[in-house]
Amino acid sequence: MDNIKIITTEDGSHSLYHEELKETYHSFHGALQESVHVFIEKGLRFWRTKSGLPKQVDIFEVGFGTGLNALLAAHFAMENEVKINFTTIEPFPLDMEIISQLNYATSIDGDDLKATFEQIHTSIWGEKVEINPYFSIHKIKKKLEDLQIDQKFDVLFFDAFAPSKQAELWTADLMQKCFNLLKDGGVFTTYSAKGQLKRDLKSVGFEVETLPGPPGKKEMVRAKVN
């Protein structure tokens, strides 16, 4: 993958720059800060708190990418002793040569997560794999529009490339698919706060909130199935 380069973001954590799309995988203001804020705090922790701290959470992610969100979810699971079943889709997986150079496992506070990060990436595609007693992952090599799955989820991390770069990933039809993937009370969270996105989410049935964004970004979106 000669068109992908490792960069260091402002919080010291790595991200990747896709030269063809002229887009980073995470915020250059801080990859780790962005993922923690958008997906863990405003998504996973919010859902779990409002749902009465259940001991199991089913998460669906659009855009496995570097695996940062999966690693953060695994870390959350172990810290909070909650079982997380993490399903993620990625049509174009990254090479392990790139993954092995990323510093996420040592950037996150707490235990050394190198072994967990490696297991997340080396686990077989297309099967549910238990990483530890608190975290399992099911990686699917498909695009969202091609996905057929019967399961429903509590939380959905929407971490596709930006609407300005890949508008086809942010259509009303795919927002409808996201709505259908969530259980009643489920939560959709993303870093984007585009007006069209909010209108599309509302049009398919979501209750939409605009929230303060992570460092360097004014706003983000969270949507709920009621």
Side-chain angles (χ1 to χ4, degrees):
M1 291 188 174
D2 295 335
N3 61 339
I4 294 177
K5 306 296 182 187
I6 295 175
I7 63 170
T8 301
T9 64
E10 290 179 3
D11 67 0
S13 61
H14 285 154
S15 185
L16 300 176
Y17 179 71
H18 195 297
E19 293 182 332
E20 186 178 334
L21 291 176
K22 295 182 169 57
E23 178 75 340
T24 58
Y25 275 64
H26 309 283
S27 171
F28 63 85
H29 294 287
L32 182 58
Q33 290 179 143
E34 178 188 44
S35 286
V36 168
H37 179 88
V38 174
F39 300 109
I40 303 303
E41 296 303 322
K42 303 302 183 186
L44 171 56
R45 193 181 301 279
F46 168 79
W47 177 86
R48 189 164 177 262
T49 300
K50 85 178 185 68
S51 301
L53 304 180
K55 283 294 185 181
Q56 179 166 309
V57 188
D58 296 320
I59 298 176
F60 184 84
E61 177 186 46
V62 177
F64 177 63
T66 62
L68 174 56
N69 296 334
L71 181 64
L72 286 168
H75 183 54
F76 182 97
M78 291 182 283
E79 277 203 321
N80 294 276
E81 297 185 350
V82 54
K83 174 67 175 178
I84 291 180
N85 301 307
F86 196 93
T87 301
T88 182
I89 58 172
E90 176 58 63
F92 307 110
L94 293 163
D95 293 339
M96 277 304 296
E97 183 181 354
I98 293 172
I99 294 301
S100 64
Q101 298 177 62
L102 298 175
N103 67 357
Y104 301 139
T106 54
S107 296
I108 299 169
D109 293 336
D111 297 333
D112 188 337
L113 296 168
K114 286 181 181 178
T116 301
F117 191 54
E118 183 175 342
Q119 285 177 293
I120 284 170
H121 278 284
T122 56
S123 62
I124 191 167
W125 287 81
E127 294 183 15
K128 182 178 178 180
V129 178
E130 187 172 278
I131 303 300
N132 60 54
Y134 293 111
F135 186 79
S136 69
I137 190 164
H138 182 191
K139 299 184 300 187
I140 302 171
K141 200 181 297 185
K142 283 190 177 181
K143 296 179 179 179
L144 181 58
E145 56 265 40
D146 298 329
L147 181 72
Q148 294 187 354
I149 189 169
D150 294 329
Q151 186 180 356
K152 286 184 176 278
F153 301 87
D154 302 301
V155 183
L156 195 153
F157 295 172
F158 200 87
D159 200 14
F161 281 119
S164 60
K165 303 297 181 180
Q166 290 190 325
E168 68 275 13
L169 300 176
W170 299 80
T171 63
D173 284 347
L174 289 187
M175 294 308 108
Q176 181 70 69
K177 193 158 192 175
C178 289
F179 183 90
N180 295 341
L181 280 167
L182 286 166
K183 303 174 189 176
D184 290 344
V187 169
F188 168 107
T189 187
T190 188
Y191 62 85
S192 180
K194 294 288 186 183
Q196 187 61 53
L197 169 64
K198 289 185 271 191
R199 289 188 290 274
D200 288 342
L201 288 169
K202 287 177 183 176
S203 75
V204 303
F206 279 109
E207 178 185 317
V208 179
E209 297 177 272
T210 303
L211 304 174
K217 188 165 176 54
K218 185 179 178 182
E219 295 175 338
M220 59 163 284
V221 162
R222 180 170 66 206
K224 294 176 283 187
V225 176
N226 291 323

